Amino acid sequence: MAGALLSAIVERLGSLISSEFKLTVTVKEEVQKLQTKFRTIQAVLNDAEKRQLTEESVKLWLDKLEGVSYEIDDVLDEWNTVMIKAEIEKQQKEFEEEEKAETSTAKKRKVWPLISVPNLFQHRDIAHKIKDLNEKLDEINKEKEMYGFELSRAIEEVVERPKTTSYVDVSEILGRDKVKNDLVSILLGKGTEKEKHPHVISLVGMGGIGKTTLAQLAYNDQEVKAHFEITVWVCVSDPFDQCKVGKEVLESVEHQSPNLTALQSLLDRICDKVRGKNFFLVFDDVWTEDYAMWKPFRDALKSCSQSSRILVTTRKDQVAKMMESSNTIKLNELSEEDCWLVFSKIAFFDKDPQQREELEDFGRQISKKCKGLPLAAKTLGSLMRFKKSREEWRNVLNNNLWELEDVERGLFAPLLLSYYDLSSPLKRCFSYCAVFQKDHVFNVEDLVYMWIAHGFVESKGNIEVEIMAREYFENLAIRSFFQECKEYRRFTRYKMHDIVHDFAQSITKARHLGYSTGSQFPPSTDRSKNLRTVIFFSHSDYNMSNLDQNFSCLRVLTLNSTMKLPDTIGNLIHLRYLDVHFCEEAFSFGKCVLPETIGNLCNLLSLRLGHDWPSRLRIMLPQGIGKLINLRLLTGYCLVIPREIGRLTSLKTLRSLINDEDCKGCKFEELKNLIHLRYLSLYFNEGRLPMITIAPNDRRIESNVLILNALELPQDLEKLCIRNYLGTTMSPTLLASLTNLKELYLLSAIELMSLPPLGKIPRLESLFISFARSLKKVGVEFLGIESENKKEDIKIFPNLKHLEFIDLGEWEEWIGGTRGGGKEDEDCITIMPRLQKLTIQFCGKLKSLPDFLHTTPLQELEIMGCPIIKKHCRRETGEDWRNISHIPFIKLWDYDSETSSA
């Protein structure tokens, strides 16, 4: 982890040297010294980080280095803050001049205090701090020489990669019967000319989940042995040595060591030996994602019969894709009962029935800690095998896994291999997740912005840092460090396996704190002053006004709904991520006005302000919000769109409430200035509108229409959500002008009587429409077909892949087709040529589906709570069956049914 931190600091030191603000000679010299020393240490850091696992003195040296590095990072951040404030002052002056020019009766406005550029005092202050840190680094640099670090050192010298064989005691394996039978069926299946050859099957899962064991079970199955003429097992591991792998394959085929050394010669002989034969090859523990390493083997093995199979075990989804797997089996955890059987079989070996009865209650609780991971069950079972007393078993139950004798080495070794396969920034991102509680549900957007706040995400060319951060997460997910939560249907959420979380806790440093009930808070002064993250998962009686005194280095702060934001928040100059949830009962008149001091947080990147939904509490931003020129994310349900919104030009994501009462002085056309904005969510009214009745003369209806028509949205917007809009129509030009829009959500537009011409949006990929309870007809206006169009070829919704309608209670007709209805018109129009999934839920009056569906490449159709449509979609007999018969997956659900009808 230190490697990524040092790289970031070296980059910042370089930026400081080349800064437009002239440094004094003394400061520049001290900065250059720091940069040189860090680069010297960087050269041996890889070796040091591996040796810390086995050498306590090296670990202590790294802790010292990391401590000084963080101190330097803070000093550089202070200097950078001064420069940012100078830029804010410059922009403020320009803004005020523009405002004066716009009106002849310029009113006297509040002027913020002038902020000076770095002065002599600030130069002197930073010089002293850097000089002191240089002296600390000198000492660390001298200590480095004592350890004789190497410039590079292989991972295997610290964490040995186990070599696997095909042998297994089948009687010891529990809980894998079904998946083993499914795998054997695939292996024994007959090949066809159409399937990809050679046929590759991949077993994917986290370290310790049992991939190798399952492969061994299949390899030793009697039917499998009888089916294949040649069977070969090769432990590939990392690095992927082509010649070594080739020799092992050939040696298994010929039953003697080959006298060949060149890859070409090895592959030539393998090709000859397996030609036309029914061949079964297991590649166990594949890590490389380099297609060039695999391709020569794939090409050589094409000579075997069509029924041949290659079975691959890997921790990475990407490997399965790279090897062009025809079947990918993701191995899941054992059930709680199967995990108990694995654990108890080992733990109670040689124990008499009375001992088993006395220890079983503790045993079952210990087994639950394994969370279905076979390796954990075996490791803990082996640990308990020689422990006889209840006291010994209680101690194991109450301890953290990494604190138990032999468990860390046996259980975490496979995870260490996955960890060392990560780049340095990814290591920091992974270990950071230890701050969260077990079973925490991760929202990817929240997590990646925390990583960005800490500077974990390296910049790469012109790629936006948010995109890089999401790539980081995907890299961790495909290596099974995160697992998708199946209980979250619409929005993808993730969890971290308990054992993976334990591993993260075993390697993390104590600069991040998650507070939950029962935890000590605040921690000791020595620890709190160095903390960079504080997340409150539950209520605390801590005096929030002391935040700036006790936690001056914070980058990330998350408060729960029982806490009120203090004025002193503005003193946390390093803060990048602020997440505050508000409790409606804590504020009067339905409004929460945030402290003006928030405007002093000039380094802030993410500001999340929310509360339990639904609520009528409106959150008012301070007047000085325009000073947050680095802000990239601003979100909050009922967060009133701020005046001077156009000054927040770094924004990528904005979720806000548009309310004509609270937005006085706000110019909605300023939104067009947010040229970097990619995701915009606008709430036109607070509360849960679908649950209430709107009077025809409600003044909000006209107000909503006027506001929507006044909006000028940035042209590069990719995702737009409009919620609680009360107009009966929507501007046909506003949405059609968003030529880069990919996702559109029209939610709770309860008075909307017709849809705008959304078919004209060229790049739209996903469209979601819900709670439009006044909408009775969806017709050609929705497609954007106009009668005056000539007979040229037209593509409607050319890139739409996902379309969803939910709770359109009055919707009766869906007409989609031609301008005049003739065959000639149909030939000119292509509608939704890329549509993959269509979902219609709780639209009980809808009578039929449009004819054009039969020309779409739909792969999935889901209909729920639509009795008329369900009847019309019956297989073979339904009136709409001819339009949907080509769809592979059709689900027709009743209101209260969990099973599909087709």
Side-chain angles (χ1 to χ4, degrees):
M1 291 187 294
L5 176 59
L6 261 64
S7 295
I9 289 175
V10 168
E11 185 177 336
R12 293 190 72 177
L13 288 169
S15 298
L16 180 56
I17 293 170
S18 59
S19 167
E20 63 180 277
F21 294 107
K22 189 176 180 181
L23 298 173
T24 64
V25 174
T26 305
V27 172
K28 192 168 186 177
E29 286 177 354
E30 292 294 332
V31 171
Q32 287 172 333
K33 285 179 188 176
L34 275 179
Q35 194 177 40
T36 301
K37 288 168 191 171
F38 271 125
R39 282 179 173 157
T40 302
I41 292 172
Q42 275 183 304
V44 300
L45 206 56
N46 193 40
D47 185 36
E49 288 194 319
K50 289 162 190 164
R51 284 174 58 181
Q52 69 171 319
L53 294 170
T54 54
E55 300 177 46
E56 183 65 22
S57 60
V58 173
K59 185 178 185 301
L60 292 173
W61 179 82
L62 276 172
D63 288 345
K64 270 194 214 177
L65 173 63
E66 194 168 73
V68 172
S69 299
Y70 277 120
E71 286 186 62
I72 292 171
D73 191 48
D74 288 337
V75 172
L76 294 175
D77 208 45
E78 290 173 22
W79 179 259
N80 193 54
T81 300
V82 173
M83 294 194 289
I84 291 172
K85 287 185 174 180
E87 176 62 26
I88 292 171
E89 179 189 0
K90 177 184 172 185
Q91 290 189 13
Q92 174 63 14
K93 287 179 179 178
E94 292 174 353
F95 175 74
E96 290 179 351
E97 289 299 323
E98 287 175 6
E99 286 216 323
K100 287 177 182 177
E102 284 179 3
T103 174
S104 57
T105 58
K107 296 180 181 179
K108 187 175 181 181
R109 298 186 180 277
K110 180 180 178 180
V111 179
W112 293 315
L114 294 179
I115 306 165
S116 303
V117 297
N119 55 36
L120 182 61
F121 173 78
Q122 289 163 326
H123 272 291
R124 192 174 296 162
D125 182 51
I126 194 173
H128 282 305
K129 288 180 178 178
I130 290 180
K131 187 176 181 182
D132 290 343
L133 291 169
N134 252 322
E135 290 173 2
K136 288 184 181 181
L137 201 58
D138 273 336
E139 183 183 341
I140 292 171
N141 220 0
K142 288 173 184 175
E143 288 179 9
K144 169 176 69 72
E145 305 304 323
M146 296 164 46
Y147 299 106
F149 293 127
E150 298 176 9
L151 293 179
S152 62
R153 186 182 175 114
I155 291 173
E156 286 80 3
E157 296 178 40
V158 179
V159 185
E160 184 179 354
R161 294 185 184 273
K163 304 299 179 187
T164 65
T165 69
S166 64
Y167 294 103
V168 67
D169 185 345
V170 177
S171 65
E172 294 181 355
I173 311 304
L174 300 168
R176 292 300 190 196
D177 291 343
K178 184 182 184 306
V179 68
K180 181 249 186 178
N181 292 337
D182 291 343
L183 175 56
V184 168
S185 295
I186 296 172
L187 293 173
L188 300 180
K190 291 183 179 180
T192 65
E193 292 297 326
K194 291 183 179 180
E195 80 179 17
K196 194 176 288 293
H197 185 58
H199 187 117
V200 178
I201 305 129
S202 288
L203 298 178
V204 181
M206 64 183 287
I209 199 71
K211 302 180 296 296
T212 297
T213 300
L214 180 57
Q216 290 168 331
L217 285 173
Y219 190 86
N220 287 284
D221 182 85
Q222 292 305 312
E223 283 189 82
V224 170
K225 283 182 172 292
H227 180 75
F228 293 102
E229 298 172 75
I230 303 174
T231 58
V232 172
W233 180 286
V234 177
C235 179
V236 178
S237 201
D238 192 46
F240 190 106
D241 186 326
Q242 289 177 304
C243 290
K244 181 174 177 289
V245 171
K247 284 182 180 180
E248 289 191 28
V249 172
L250 191 56
E251 186 173 348
S252 294
V253 172
E254 295 185 332
H255 305 292
Q256 62 180 4
S257 182
N259 56 0
L260 303 173
T261 56
L263 179 62
Q264 184 64 52
S265 302
L266 289 164
L267 293 177
D268 285 345
R269 190 179 292 184
I270 290 171
C271 183
D272 289 339
K273 292 292 181 180
V274 303
R275 191 180 306 278
K277 300 287 182 66
N278 203 8
F279 178 54
F280 178 33
L281 168 64
V282 175
F283 271 165
D284 187 42
D285 197 27
V286 179
W287 290 74
T288 183
E289 300 172 33
D290 187 352
Y291 180 71
M293 303 295 285
W294 157 240
K295 187 176 185 301
F297 291 91
R298 189 202 70 169
D299 293 342
L301 294 172
K302 283 185 176 181
S303 65
C304 60
S305 73
Q306 198 73 31
S307 297
S308 296
R309 297 289 184 265
I310 298 173
L311 179 61
V312 175
T313 72
T314 181
R315 303 179 187 201
K316 304 179 184 180
D317 287 324
Q318 210 60 30
V319 170
K321 293 174 183 175
M322 178 274 293
M323 298 187 81
E324 300 174 299
S325 302
S326 299
N327 301 86
T328 298
I329 299 174
K330 289 199 172 183
L331 212 52
N332 296 320
E333 295 86 358
L334 296 174
S335 68
E336 188 174 303
E337 188 58 29
D338 283 336
C339 191
W340 160 247
L341 291 174
V342 173
F343 169 83
S344 60
K345 187 171 185 177
I346 302 171
F348 292 118
F349 183 79
D350 280 347
K351 287 185 173 68
D352 59 44
Q354 184 179 347
Q355 285 178 311
R356 181 185 180 106
E357 186 176 347
E358 289 176 353
L359 300 172
E360 183 169 337
D361 58 337
F362 284 152
R364 285 193 176 272
Q365 293 178 69
I366 293 171
S367 173
K368 286 180 181 179
K369 294 178 75 170
C370 301
K371 286 296 180 83
L373 194 67
L375 178 62
K378 291 175 184 176
T379 303
L380 286 173
S382 299
L383 176 68
M384 306 315 297
R385 183 171 180 171
F386 302 106
K387 296 185 184 297
K388 307 292 185 183
S389 70
R390 282 181 64 82
E391 188 61 32
E392 288 178 299
W393 282 57
R394 183 186 287 108
N395 287 338
V396 170
L397 176 62
N398 293 334
N399 277 338
N400 293 315
L401 289 180
W402 64 88
E403 295 170 342
L404 300 174
E405 55 181 290
D406 298 327
V407 171
E408 182 177 4
R409 183 169 62 253
L411 181 56
F412 291 164
L415 295 175
L416 274 170
L417 290 174
S418 292
Y419 176 74
Y420 277 124
D421 190 52
L422 301 175
S423 65
S424 192
L426 280 176
K427 288 176 184 173
R428 295 184 81 193
C429 290
F430 165 70
S431 64
Y432 179 73
C433 296
V435 72
F436 298 95
Q437 300 169 304
K438 283 186 177 178
D439 285 328
H440 178 80
V441 178
F442 288 93
N443 177 334
V444 179
E445 184 182 62
D446 292 349
L447 183 59
V448 300
Y449 269 104
M450 288 183 182
W451 290 344
I452 292 168
H454 286 292
F456 294 165
V457 184
E458 294 183 339
S459 56
K460 189 176 181 181
N462 294 323
I463 301 177
E464 293 178 353
V465 68
E466 288 85 357
I467 294 175
M468 287 295 299
R470 284 180 174 83
E471 283 185 12
Y472 281 14
F473 185 88
E474 289 168 10
N475 271 317
L476 291 171
I478 64 176
R479 287 165 167 80
S480 303
F481 284 110
F482 292 99
Q483 300 169 324
E484 191 172 328
C485 294
K486 295 179 180 176
E487 59 264 37
Y488 287 82
R489 183 174 172 272
R490 178 174 294 178
F491 302 104
T492 306
R493 297 290 185 266
Y494 293 84
K495 283 187 178 181
M496 185 174 274
H497 191 282
D498 278 6
I499 305 298
V500 177
H501 185 271
D502 286 333
F503 172 67
Q505 286 190 310
S506 73
I507 60 173
T508 195
K509 298 292 190 289
R511 290 184 181 268
H512 309 288
L513 174 67
Y515 172 82
S516 55
T517 304
S519 305
Q520 179 190 351
F521 196 89
S524 65
T525 304
D526 286 343
R527 187 184 177 201
S528 65
K529 70 179 182 181
N530 291 320
L531 282 174
R532 294 191 159 214
T533 297
V534 172
I535 299 175
F536 287 93
F537 294 111
S538 56
H539 170 69
S540 170
D541 294 325
Y542 174 70
N543 183 356
M544 300 306 293
S545 63
N546 294 329
L547 264 176
D548 62 319
Q549 299 171 26
N550 295 333
F551 304 99
S552 57
C553 292
L554 280 185
R555 265 66 173 173
V556 169
L557 175 62
T558 296
L559 306 179
N560 67 31
S561 58
T562 62
M563 299 173 169
K564 201 165 183 178
L565 205 60
D567 288 334
T568 53
I569 189 72
N571 296 330
L572 297 175
I573 63 166
H574 300 290
L575 202 63
R576 261 79 170 171
Y577 181 103
L578 176 60
D579 187 344
V580 188
H581 286 257
F582 297 100
C583 179
E584 185 166 4
E585 290 74 21
F587 299 92
S588 56
F589 308 111
K591 290 184 182 180
C592 164
V593 182
L594 297 179
E596 279 294 322
T597 53
I598 282 183
N600 296 333
L601 301 175
C602 63
N603 285 304
L604 202 64
L605 301 174
S606 304
L607 180 57
R608 292 181 174 277
L609 304 163
H611 45 77
D612 293 334
W613 187 82
S615 172
R616 300 183 72 87
L617 175 68
R618 297 194 295 281
I619 302 171
M620 314 300 293
L621 290 165
Q623 293 181 14
I625 194 71
K627 293 189 286 183
L628 304 184
I629 62 173
N630 286 313
L631 199 64
R632 301 174 76 89
L633 179 141
L634 176 60
T635 67
Y637 184 72
C638 286
L639 171 67
V640 177
I641 194 167
R643 180 179 171 271
E644 301 183 7
I645 184 67
R647 294 186 65 195
L648 304 179
T649 55
S650 295
L651 274 181
K652 302 284 185 183
T653 299
L654 171 64
R655 287 196 280 270
S656 188
L657 170 69
I658 291 211
N659 186 294
D660 57 342
E661 288 183 0
D662 298 315
C663 295
K664 290 172 183 175
C666 176
K667 300 174 182 176
F668 297 125
E669 65 271 18
E670 284 186 7
L671 288 171
K672 71 180 178 184
N673 297 333
L674 308 182
I675 58 174
H676 298 294
L677 197 66
R678 297 294 178 265
Y679 175 41
L680 174 63
S681 181
L682 295 175
Y683 296 77
F684 274 78
N685 298 276
E686 68 278 8
R688 296 188 69 176
L689 291 187
M691 306 300 177
I692 64 176
T693 302
I694 305 296
N697 59 349
D698 192 310
R699 61 172 185 75
R700 289 178 294 175
I701 296 177
E702 182 182 358
S703 170
N704 281 193
V705 174
L706 292 174
I707 291 174
L708 185 67
N709 289 336
L711 291 177
E712 293 186 42
L713 302 181
Q715 293 302 298
D716 287 335
L717 201 64
E718 294 179 357
K719 187 175 179 180
L720 174 64
C721 176
I722 295 178
R723 187 190 291 268
N724 293 359
Y725 173 71
L726 292 181
T728 56
T729 60
M730 298 187 80
S731 167
T733 57
L734 175 70
L735 299 176
S737 65
L738 300 176
T739 55
N740 289 301
L741 196 67
K742 293 182 179 179
E743 294 182 41
L744 176 61
Y745 299 79
L746 300 180
L747 311 178
S748 302
I750 59 176
E751 299 298 311
L752 199 64
M753 302 188 73
S754 64
L755 294 175
L758 304 179
K760 291 183 175 182
I761 305 177
R763 296 187 181 180
L764 191 64
E765 296 179 3
S766 299
L767 174 60
F768 303 87
I769 300 173
S770 71
F771 295 111
R773 66 185 184 191
S774 299
L775 189 68
K776 292 185 177 182
K777 177 182 175 182
V778 174
V780 292
E781 78 287 342
F782 169 61
L783 301 176
I785 300 174
E786 300 169 358
S787 58
E788 62 269 20
N789 283 343
K790 296 180 180 179
K791 294 291 194 284
E792 74 273 10
D793 290 339
I794 302 171
K795 284 190 176 181
I796 307 297
F797 288 109
N799 287 293
L800 192 67
K801 298 176 183 176
H802 188 183
L803 176 59
E804 191 167 312
F805 297 99
I806 296 180
D807 257 319
L808 276 61
E810 297 299 316
W811 186 22
E812 297 178 2
E813 291 184 88
W814 186 0
I815 301 171
T818 64
R819 294 159 292 197
K823 180 70 171 64
E824 184 180 351
D825 290 324
E826 288 184 2
D827 292 340
C828 297
I829 299 173
T830 304
I831 302 174
M832 304 183 189
R834 301 183 67 186
L835 189 64
Q836 297 292 301
K837 182 176 181 180
L838 172 62
T839 300
I840 305 174
Q841 295 181 1
F842 309 117
C843 302
K845 294 184 179 181
L846 185 60
K847 297 174 183 176
S848 63
L849 298 176
D851 290 345
F852 72 79
L853 287 184
H854 79 276
T855 64
T856 66
L858 262 174
Q859 296 298 302
E860 186 175 349
L861 172 65
E862 181 178 5
I863 295 176
M864 176 188 284
C866 306
I868 302 174
I869 292 296
K870 180 183 175 183
K871 180 180 178 182
H872 287 187
C873 289
R874 285 177 181 165
R875 187 177 297 274
E876 305 296 345
T877 61
E879 296 175 27
D880 284 321
W881 177 250
R882 64 185 180 86
N883 291 326
I884 65 171
S885 59
H886 66 291
I887 303 172
F889 301 101
I890 299 175
K891 298 177 184 177
L892 306 178
W893 308 81
D894 292 321
Y895 284 102
D896 55 354
S897 173
E898 288 297 322
T899 57
S900 92
S901 305

